[in-house]
Amino acid sequence: MAASGAAGSVSAGSAEHYALAIDAMGGDHAPDAVLDGLEQAADRHKGVRFLLVGDEERLRAGLATRPRAAAICTIRHTADHIPGDMKPTAALRVRRASMRLAIDAVAAGEADGVVSAGNTGALMALAKIVLRTMPEIDRPALAAIGPSARGDVVLLDLGANISYEARNLVEFAVMGDAFARAVLGLTAPSIGLLNVGSEELKGDERIRQAAEILRDSHVGAQFHGFVEGHDITAGTVDVVVTDGFTGNVALKTGEGALKLVGSLLRQVFNSSIPARLGYLLARPALDRLRQWMDPRRYNGAVLIGLNGVVVKSHGGTDALGFAHAVDVAMDMVTHGFNDRIRTGVALLGQRPAMQKQAAAG
């Protein structure tokens, strides 16, 4: 190990344990955005060690001007990385890529989780194959946090599963509950199933079966019932559960709506001299709104249900966004996220409605 304040080097098989393995070469602005993000995150995670995987020469040069990041990082060298446009099937064959080695470190028990801003499809494919789904879970899900009128809201699945069964929605709900507890600090997050209406008879048989199981489960007191699209931003519930197809459409629609609002505001305030003067008067409030809606605050989608923590940072994010992704991963690691899932699924299996569904499947 190197002296305190300087990043050391480590070879595969090191006995040291790391909280997170970081894919230093993933993302549009790697490795600078990654290192800048770790420099910010270092103040919040003092004493924790991160395994930084990537080109050692470039990383050492970058860490030389980022002392706080250098103090918590150890470098594992590789010259290979996965480009953003590489297909997942091709990425599986790049065994020495920074993303692959970071995931391998989690599989080997060297690190508890991985953070990457690299190729989303490659990260999902590699994580599923290398880490594998937890024995208690049928399918993993992609989860993220977004803004609502009442605070932050968890939404899953966001695209990991296009097809689904009732059991999957139930497991997503349990995983969403664990995620909200670990990352948002909620003691009893409310849960809703996204549907075409709030009435009990709405939706197809799968979603109605999932609702029946959840009402009978250990999270039954937290289960709100069915929610609609507008309930996501209204903050009707803390956790919104849906299938991957619907969730991805909802996510992209929400992102588009935010961009539209921002564009319209710029047009309005640039439309005339009085409007520009109005902007100056409203600027403090608009700055608070901008900070609240800043997508970097919500950076860090999580592939949950695997044997390890996997956080995907947006590829184009800056230092602040990457630091938030690291914070999400650390919250999950320090709060025993996967243990919460195992406990929740075990409790599910004890309920008659879930046993009936399992027998039917």
Side-chain angles (χ1 to χ4, degrees):
M1 291 298 297
S4 176
S9 298
V10 65
S11 59
S14 168
E16 183 171 1
H17 185 80
Y18 303 92
L20 299 176
I22 308 292
D23 172 16
M25 312 311 292
D28 300 343
H29 309 295
D32 289 335
V34 173
L35 298 180
D36 286 339
L38 292 174
E39 183 76 353
Q40 292 188 21
D43 289 336
R44 300 190 288 274
H45 307 294
K46 293 178 180 178
V48 175
R49 299 296 301 179
F50 294 156
L51 179 63
L52 194 59
V53 186
D55 187 302
E56 184 167 7
E57 183 177 351
R58 294 181 64 186
L59 296 179
R60 280 196 175 279
L63 289 173
T65 58
R66 299 169 176 92
R68 296 196 300 276
I72 63 171
C73 290
T74 300
I75 299 171
R76 174 164 293 166
H77 172 70
T78 181
D80 298 334
H81 75 283
I82 294 174
D85 59 353
M86 180 177 282
K87 293 182 178 180
T89 51
L92 294 174
R93 297 192 290 270
V94 188
R95 298 299 184 98
R96 295 290 302 173
S98 56
M99 181 188 292
R100 175 62 181 263
L101 293 184
I103 296 172
D104 284 346
V106 179
E110 293 181 82
D112 296 313
V114 58
V115 181
S116 175
N119 185 313
T120 303
L123 181 67
M124 291 177 62
L126 284 168
K128 288 180 181 179
I129 290 175
V130 175
L131 298 180
R132 301 185 182 279
T133 305
M134 295 169 62
E136 303 86 353
I137 298 296
D138 183 49
R139 297 181 188 177
L142 194 63
I145 301 170
S148 81
R150 291 180 54 248
D152 293 336
V153 59
V154 175
L155 180 64
L156 74 165
D157 177 28
L158 297 177
N161 305 277
I162 302 302
S163 61
Y164 73 98
E165 299 297 334
R167 171 186 175 181
N168 304 130
L169 294 179
V170 174
E171 291 178 354
F172 295 168
V174 171
M175 293 190 288
D177 172 67
F179 185 78
R181 291 172 185 268
V183 179
L184 300 184
L186 301 177
T187 56
S190 55
I191 302 168
L193 286 176
L194 189 61
N195 201 351
V196 294
S198 58
E199 298 86 354
E200 290 189 11
L201 296 178
K202 289 291 182 73
D204 62 23
E205 183 65 21
R206 294 170 297 179
I207 196 168
R208 293 198 298 271
Q209 286 180 355
E212 177 187 353
I213 295 170
L214 287 171
R215 290 190 186 98
D216 178 59
S217 74
H218 65 286
V219 296
Q222 300 163 232
F223 182 55
H224 174 87
F226 297 142
V227 294
E228 300 179 64
H230 62 82
D231 289 307
I232 300 174
T233 51
T236 302
V237 293
D238 301 308
V239 180
V240 177
V241 178
T242 186
D243 62 277
F245 182 91
T246 307
N248 192 268
V249 171
L251 174 68
K252 299 298 174 56
T253 302
E255 291 175 346
L258 288 177
K259 291 179 181 178
L260 175 62
V261 170
S263 176
L264 291 176
L265 284 173
R266 284 190 294 271
Q267 290 180 39
V268 168
F269 285 119
N270 286 320
S271 61
S272 66
I273 292 177
R276 292 176 184 176
L277 292 174
Y279 168 75
L280 293 176
L281 293 173
R283 184 171 180 174
L286 290 172
D287 285 343
R288 289 196 297 272
L289 176 64
R290 187 181 297 110
Q291 292 173 5
W292 181 55
M293 303 298 288
D294 190 342
R296 297 175 300 178
R297 289 186 59 236
Y298 304 99
N299 186 45
V302 184
L303 190 60
I304 55 180
L306 301 177
N307 292 299
V309 171
V310 180
V311 175
K312 170 64 176 71
S313 167
H314 193 286
T317 194
D318 62 6
L320 178 60
F322 195 84
H324 274 288
V326 170
D327 290 342
V328 169
M330 285 301 300
D331 282 340
M332 297 174 71
V333 167
T334 57
H335 291 93
F337 174 71
N338 278 353
D339 289 337
R340 290 176 184 267
I341 290 179
R342 293 186 184 95
T343 299
V345 176
L347 290 172
L348 272 181
Q350 299 171 8
R351 307 300 298 178
M354 191 64 174
Q355 293 171 351
K356 177 182 177 182
Q357 174 65 25

